Amino acid sequence: MKDRVIEKALLLAALSAIGILALITIFIFREGLPVVFSKGPGEFLTGTVWQPSRGHYGLVPMIVGSAIVTFGALIIGVPLGLACAVVLAEMAPPRARKILKPTIELLAGIPSVVYGFIGMMILVPWIRNNPALGGTGSSALAASIILGIMILPTIIGISIDAIEAVPRSYREGSRALGATEWQTITGVVIPAARSGIVAGVILGMGRAVGETMAVIMVAGNSVQIPDSILKPVRTLTANIALEMSYASGQHEQALFATAIVLFIIIMLLNSLAGLARRKKKRKRKLKGDPAGGVEVA
Amino acid sequence: MTAKPTVNVSSSGSSTALRGPAKLEVKDFDLFYGSFQALKKVSMQVTERRITALIGPSGCGKSTLLRAMNRMNDLIPSVRTTGEIVLDGKNIYAPATDVEALRKRVGMVFQRPNPFPLSVFDNVAYGPRAHGLRNRAGLRDVVEKSLRSVDLWDTLKDDLDDDALTLSGEQQQRLCIARLVAVEPEVLLMDEPCSALDPIATMKVEELMQKLVEQYTIVIVTHNMQQAARVSQDTGFMLLGDLVEFGLTERIFTRPTEKKTEDYISGRYG
Ligand SMILES: Nc1ncnc2c1ncn2[C@@H]1O[C@H](COP(=O)(O)OP(=O)(O)OP(=O)(O)O)[C@@H](O)[C@H]1O
Ligand SMILES: [Mg+2]
């Protein structure tokens, strides 16, 4: 009897959580879609001018801004994160790994405003005063670097799990052929862990696309398609956060339309990450194992 | 445990006179996992172009001895060794040994087939690439030659790009042997290479071993005494880290000199 009550309560909680998410989604689309249809989707997706006061709602500068900082973040975060994951999973003594892995996971918990603040106080002035860089400092470059650091925990954590899941027999097989430790890592371990690593990268990408506060603090936020990474950019998320406090009417709806674009991008990235994780297993199942009876891990 | 003087080692056993030169000689070899001694003063001789079998109950140290022969045990941090294993007159445990070069000469096939999650081609080309062969045509030749030597070429020549993990168990094990043959080793160490295979596949792999021994020196660990009797010329019987008896297979299985060997062969151990 008591069990059934608890079961019902849990079910109710689960349903309301899903219900709330569904309501939010419906709300975003209900608020954003009318202006998309009245202006035409083309205006949003191909227009390069964002001037709400004149009724121009082109999202291209923001889409480009998000794309640049995300791409920049990946250029910085992926090699760094992968190298870090390889060292921690393969080379570091177990004791160091036990301490460092949770520490890195902790980095993911630091509020983004802290990253943004550090970026504002240190990174932006450094770029501004560096003779090789220059500009105002608040730039696509600054945002890329900060985001690159912010996505490290995601990439490192998931990559370590993927690398550790590579069976020992692969490593032994490689070493037994006379391959060095390094050849084994690049030749067998990373290829075997690839789908997990790709999933980590895509999730990191999702984090970079969605990050708002830290980006606003260092990116400069002017609405333009930048001609250099030292120029300021505005991302989709920044666009909503910066204007929501005073937007009304069609302008407010246009911000919801921005949210729809973001929503779709994030959904796509998440399903890609899921696909990358699952793809491998499915491929293995295609051909049976008629004679062997050797199961594949 | 009394240490035998090393001079006697190569002549221990009654049948040494029939043998050719030693390819690999184990001399008073001890191996410890931490404080646990897994090999106790083991001495034996592996003769060139013959199949040497290691038999014994589970946990007696067969795999450990086999892995000692190409220093795969180096990958386990707690392992310590004393004594020597001599390959063509050189102690492979000497400090200056190039372990990668050693493993290229003394390769290993594992109990469970462990092809890499790469294509058939990349599996076979893996070793040669690791040892510096880059040119595409050269790699193609090696892959073809190696797959032919394990009778896989005709079956797989049109599927070289397939994921190796989609092959059958027997094909996977053959592929692992081809992968090894591709680096042109001198000694093949095989740790229960058939235990994950069905009887027909086992028979085929045994036939393959008979073919390979014309070119290579083979050491095989097996749980299966019939298999040892069928394929090998020399046999060593191990028990709890001791090499109890070593000699011609035919003699070990018909006239063992040690009581323990006789008990094991007649099935009185697990
Ligand atoms: N990495 C290790 N660390 C500690 N002890 C080990 C390790 N590997 C093996 N041992 C121990 O060493 C002994 C010999 O093991 P080994 O694997 O060589 O036996 P085996 O004869 O190959 O057995 P099996 O027939 O089951 O494969 C066993 O008691 C085992 O528990
Ligand atoms: Mg074993």
Side-chain angles (χ1 to χ4, degrees):
Chain A
M1 184 62 210
K2 204 168 145 203
D3 278 2
R4 302 232 357 226
V5 174
I6 293 173
E7 198 184 304
K8 285 265 151 59
L10 286 176
L11 191 67
L12 195 72
L15 284 180
S16 34
I18 296 170
I20 291 168
L21 288 177
L23 281 178
I24 291 175
T25 311
I26 292 168
F27 183 76
I28 293 171
F29 277 83
R30 205 198 61 184
E31 294 295 307
L33 280 182
V35 68
V36 172
F37 286 122
S38 69
K39 289 273 170 188
E43 154 87 12
F44 281 90
L45 294 177
T46 62
T48 55
V49 181
W50 175 268
Q51 277 176 345
S53 51
R54 305 225 175 106
H56 294 307
Y57 300 112
L59 283 177
V60 170
M62 276 66 88
I63 293 173
V64 170
S66 280
I68 290 176
V69 298
T70 303
F71 188 65
L74 291 180
I75 288 180
I76 293 161
V78 172
L80 219 57
L82 196 55
C84 201
V86 165
V87 169
L88 280 180
E90 291 286 308
M91 298 167 167
R95 194 129 41 92
R97 182 181 332 157
K98 258 204 197 113
I99 300 169
L100 286 172
K101 200 180 165 210
T103 310
I104 287 169
E105 274 154 14
L106 211 68
L107 287 180
I110 297 177
S112 57
V113 67
V114 175
Y115 284 100
F117 190 58
I118 294 172
M120 237 169 118
M121 303 314 275
I122 296 169
L123 187 61
V124 169
W126 179 79
I127 294 175
R128 184 170 54 232
N129 299 328
N130 189 320
L133 302 170
T136 62
S138 296
S139 57
L141 178 64
S144 297
I145 294 174
I146 290 295
L147 285 175
I149 295 168
M150 289 178 75
I151 64 176
L152 280 179
T154 312
I155 293 178
I156 295 172
I158 295 178
S159 299
I160 286 183
D161 292 344
I163 290 172
E164 281 179 345
V166 173
R168 213 181 64 167
S169 63
Y170 292 168
R171 299 167 220 260
E172 290 202 319
S174 168
R175 298 304 294 275
L177 290 169
T180 60
E181 182 174 13
W182 184 242
Q183 287 171 332
T184 301
I185 290 170
T186 55
V188 177
V189 176
I190 292 181
R194 192 177 49 209
S195 58
I197 292 171
V198 169
V201 169
I202 295 173
L203 288 178
M205 207 163 145
R207 174 137 205 235
V209 173
E211 178 49 44
T212 313
M213 194 62 205
V215 174
I216 290 179
M217 293 167 81
V218 300
N221 305 317
S222 45
V223 182
Q224 55 169 353
I225 297 173
D227 53 14
S228 119
I229 52 167
L230 297 169
K231 292 279 168 63
V233 289
R234 180 185 288 196
T235 63
L236 289 163
T237 50
N239 195 41
I240 300 171
L242 290 166
E243 301 192 0
M244 62 189 175
S245 55
Y246 59 88
S248 61
Q250 207 174 41
H251 183 192
E252 188 183 329
Q253 291 181 344
L255 295 185
F256 275 105
T258 312
I260 293 176
V261 173
L262 261 174
F263 185 90
I264 292 171
I265 293 175
I266 299 282
M267 289 303 266
L268 279 178
L269 288 179
N270 276 335
S271 21
L272 274 182
L275 217 67
R277 277 186 171 163
R278 266 191 307 268
K279 203 172 100 200
K280 214 160 161 197
K281 280 183 197 149
R282 207 175 329 124
K283 211 168 88 196
R284 296 279 161 73
K285 291 235 171 73
L286 277 181
K287 285 193 205 166
D289 190 352
V294 176
E295 81 257 27
V296 171
Chain B
M1 201 63 244
T2 50
K4 294 173 230 160
T6 43
V7 269
N8 284 347
V9 169
S10 58
S11 57
S12 70
S14 57
S15 46
T16 342
L18 299 174
R19 293 211 185 99
K23 181 73 187 169
L24 201 83
E25 234 180 313
V26 182
K27 296 182 181 176
D28 283 334
F29 195 79
D30 292 313
L31 186 143
F32 299 83
Y33 291 112
S35 58
F36 172 73
Q37 185 165 12
L39 295 178
K40 299 170 185 164
K41 286 274 175 292
V42 171
S43 295
M44 63 177 274
Q45 167 182 335
V46 174
T47 307
E48 189 147 24
R49 289 192 201 174
R50 275 158 83 120
I51 300 181
T52 302
L54 294 171
I55 60 170
S58 195
C60 67
K62 306 179 297 289
S63 299
T64 303
L65 177 57
L66 198 72
R67 292 163 59 91
M69 292 178 181
N70 69 347
R71 293 188 53 175
M72 282 301 281
N73 289 320
D74 287 17
L75 303 179
I76 301 166
S78 66
V79 165
R80 274 187 310 117
T81 64
T82 63
E84 294 186 351
I85 294 182
V86 175
L87 175 67
D88 284 340
K90 285 218 180 83
N91 178 14
I92 63 171
Y93 281 83
T97 306
D98 176 347
V99 180
E100 272 75 41
L102 165 70
R103 295 195 187 121
K104 180 178 180 299
R105 294 176 64 194
V106 185
M108 182 166 250
V109 175
F110 296 83
Q111 181 167 0
R112 287 169 54 106
N114 61 346
F116 304 132
L118 307 171
S119 70
V120 170
F121 184 94
D122 287 340
N123 263 277
V124 184
Y126 186 87
R129 278 183 179 137
H131 294 289
L133 182 60
R134 284 277 169 272
N135 120 22
R136 186 81 200 160
L139 286 170
R140 286 253 319 268
D141 289 347
V142 175
V143 169
E144 175 170 349
K145 201 167 128 242
S146 308
L147 287 175
R148 278 192 193 284
S149 74
V150 298
D151 303 323
L152 269 185
W153 176 253
D154 292 330
T155 331
L156 292 184
K157 63 173 184 275
D158 298 322
D159 302 316
L160 294 178
D161 292 328
D162 281 14
D163 187 340
L165 300 182
T166 60
L167 302 178
S168 75
E170 183 208 336
Q171 288 176 331
Q172 289 191 10
Q173 196 61 300
R174 278 177 189 272
L175 181 67
C176 290
I177 298 172
R179 184 174 78 181
L180 187 55
V181 165
V183 300
E184 298 178 340
E186 297 156 36
V187 182
L188 310 183
L189 307 175
M190 301 184 160
D191 193 348
E192 304 192 38
C194 302
S195 66
L197 305 181
D198 65 40
I200 293 172
T202 299
M203 203 182 72
K204 289 189 187 152
V205 171
E206 284 177 10
E207 279 168 14
L208 174 62
M209 289 170 62
Q210 298 297 359
K211 180 177 137 193
L212 291 171
V213 77
E214 291 166 13
Q215 262 193 70
Y216 303 96
T217 304
I218 298 178
V219 186
I220 178 179
V221 163
T222 177
H223 251 122
N224 177 333
M225 280 184 285
Q226 285 76 35
Q227 182 171 55
R230 274 195 306 265
V231 302
S232 73
Q233 286 83 54
D234 296 311
T235 296
F237 168 60
M238 298 185 69
L239 193 62
L240 297 174
D242 277 315
L243 182 66
V244 174
E245 188 166 359
F246 185 81
L248 286 178
T249 301
E250 193 217 320
R251 183 187 65 74
I252 295 273
F253 280 97
T254 52
R255 288 167 279 117
T257 53
E258 298 285 330
K259 176 84 169 55
K260 288 173 185 163
T261 315
E262 195 182 338
D263 286 349
Y264 182 72
I265 287 165
S266 54
R268 254 168 278 170
Y269 284 96

